Amino acid sequence: MKSTKDDDRIRTLAGKDEEQLLNAFFVFYKTARILDENNDTFKKQRDNFVRCMKNVAKSDPQVTIKLVTGRYFVNELMVAFDENGLSGAASVVSEWKKIGLGGVKFNTEAAAESIGLFFSYLSSLRPDDHNVESISQELSDRDLSVVQLLSLKALVVDTPVVTEEMRREFRNTARKTFFRAMSTVQEIVQNTRSDKEINVAKTKRVVHSLIDQILRDEQSVVELTSIRDYDDYTYAHSINVTIYSLTLGVRLGLDRGRLSQLGFAALFHDVGKVKLPSDLINKPDAYDENDWIQMQRHPMLGAKTILRNMKLQVHTARAARAAFEHHIHSDLTGYPLLQYAKRQPNLFAKIVAVVDTFDALTSGRVYLKKNLGPDKVIKKMRHQMTDKFDPFLLKIFNDIVGIYPAGTLVMLTSDELALILTNNSKEPSRPYIKIVGDRNGLFEEPIWIDLSLPEHADRKIIRRVEPEHYGLNVRDFVLSD
């Protein structure tokens, strides 16, 4: 039976102590692969791990490190952790999966020497020759029972991955990150308009904060892209394209360095529009031929602006190329027209092209006849614009958006109105939702439910709802709990 203390821990995200412990664990693991117990560096990493463990444990006799359905936990606290970072956790976890290992439980009173012997033994194993049971027996034979191995299958069944309280905390953190990024984009646009220097370091920090948030819980960030009522669409569009691009990059398995470059490029993909007349950008009518000629200058203007206003480095070079190429299609149509050295846009430009089109078509831009629902846009992109985009990237993006993208209002068979919060990759038609009203009106307190649970089998999504038809504003639902 779980204690109240255990329940409180499950509903809380990990802090710095847990993050440091997890990083120390994998750093020491990698160190133990190449150095023996008598090496000074080995001892240094061992002692650092033990120190981090005691900081987390405080008075607890045990500390658990585990991986459940792709998420890292220290005890029952979920940790935001980049497994592709310097600690090289991804390769370690890959070996764990082969032997059925899901985690490790440490006795916090164990001697540092015993902890060191355990790491040396575990890191030396060949995954093809062992399983959890055989390793556990070997640890017992070596008198290393101060450490307990956790079965991967048991963890998947028994460990709660994301509770309702954790989801809410994810969303609150995501909002803070989103609006900090929005403020930075406003500063970038204002500096660009006046030809002032752009703070590249600050921009990189914003991108990294978005990466951290997406790695922790991508849907809590993606949901915010459904907010459309901003005074200047340029700001929101830049952030939306960055969020979608980074999410796609994560799905592709890009390492953190490449994600940083991708996010930076996405953030600046439309910076050339700042150099166009504001009455063109904000024109309330459909564009005529001359308007389109002017608009098609923005990729070239963007590349020039980036190269002129920023110090040349990998991030700015990739951003300039993405700005220049993101309207050049896979069939080499689009703009700018390439007269010489015709070649395919690079990966970053192809990613930005997909998400830029999606956000523009769903946003109700002033130069479009009308905005389309996300489901209709994806269908249009997949079946009517097949030569414009990389089909593999479009397929992955389709998986990210899902049948009902986060932030979509839907009607249920129960005559209830609900907001989609998190997609369900296993059952796309059964997402996590927030019921905000019914036929009698909006609720004072929304109801949060997971449609994939058996007790909600009678609730099904009928259709997407146009918020304006009901005098509703998605922003009010997205930003309220």
Side-chain angles (χ1 to χ4, degrees), residues 325-345:
E325 294 181 343
H326 74 281
H327 281 294
I328 299 175
H329 305 145
S330 292
D331 60 359
L332 298 183
T333 61
Y335 58 91
L337 180 63
L338 300 178
Q339 297 181 353
Y340 309 103
K342 293 186 177 182
R343 62 183 181 184
Q344 285 283 317

Side-chain angles (χ1 to χ4, degrees), residues 379-394:
K379 184 176 181 180
K380 180 181 180 70
M381 292 173 68
R382 294 193 67 180
H383 301 292
Q384 297 178 31
M385 307 168 76
T386 52
D387 295 331
K388 298 182 183 296
F389 309 109
D390 183 296
F392 179 66
L393 296 178
L394 188 54

Side-chain angles (χ1 to χ4, degrees), residues 438-465:
D438 59 18
R439 66 179 66 184
N440 296 316
L442 299 179
F443 299 156
E444 289 188 10
E445 292 291 333
I447 304 171
W448 304 59
I449 67 170
D450 186 343
L451 286 180
S452 66
L453 297 179
E455 57 263 37
H456 300 300
D458 58 328
R459 284 188 171 106
K460 296 180 180 179
I461 297 175
I462 301 175
R463 66 182 184 277
R464 187 174 67 87
V465 171

Side-chain angles (χ1 to χ4, degrees), residues 188 191-192 196-201 203 268 271 305 309-310:
I188 289 170
N191 287 348
T192 302
K196 293 182 179 178
E197 183 179 354
I198 294 171
N199 191 329
V200 172
T203 306
F268 286 98
V271 71
T305 299
N309 290 24
M310 302 182 208

Side-chain angles (χ1 to χ4, degrees), residues 96 99-102 130-138 149-152:
W96 283 12
I99 62 178
L101 178 62
H130 297 83
N131 56 38
V132 171
E133 291 74 20
S134 66
I135 298 172
S136 295
Q137 183 59 52
E138 181 66 20
L149 302 185
L150 306 177
S151 165
L152 182 62

Side-chain angles (χ1 to χ4, degrees), residues 146-166:
V146 291
V147 183
Q148 178 184 347
L149 302 185
L150 306 177
S151 165
L152 182 62
K153 292 182 180 179
L155 286 177
V156 170
V157 172
D158 296 338
T159 302
V161 178
V162 183
T163 66
E164 180 175 310
E165 290 301 316
M166 290 172 71

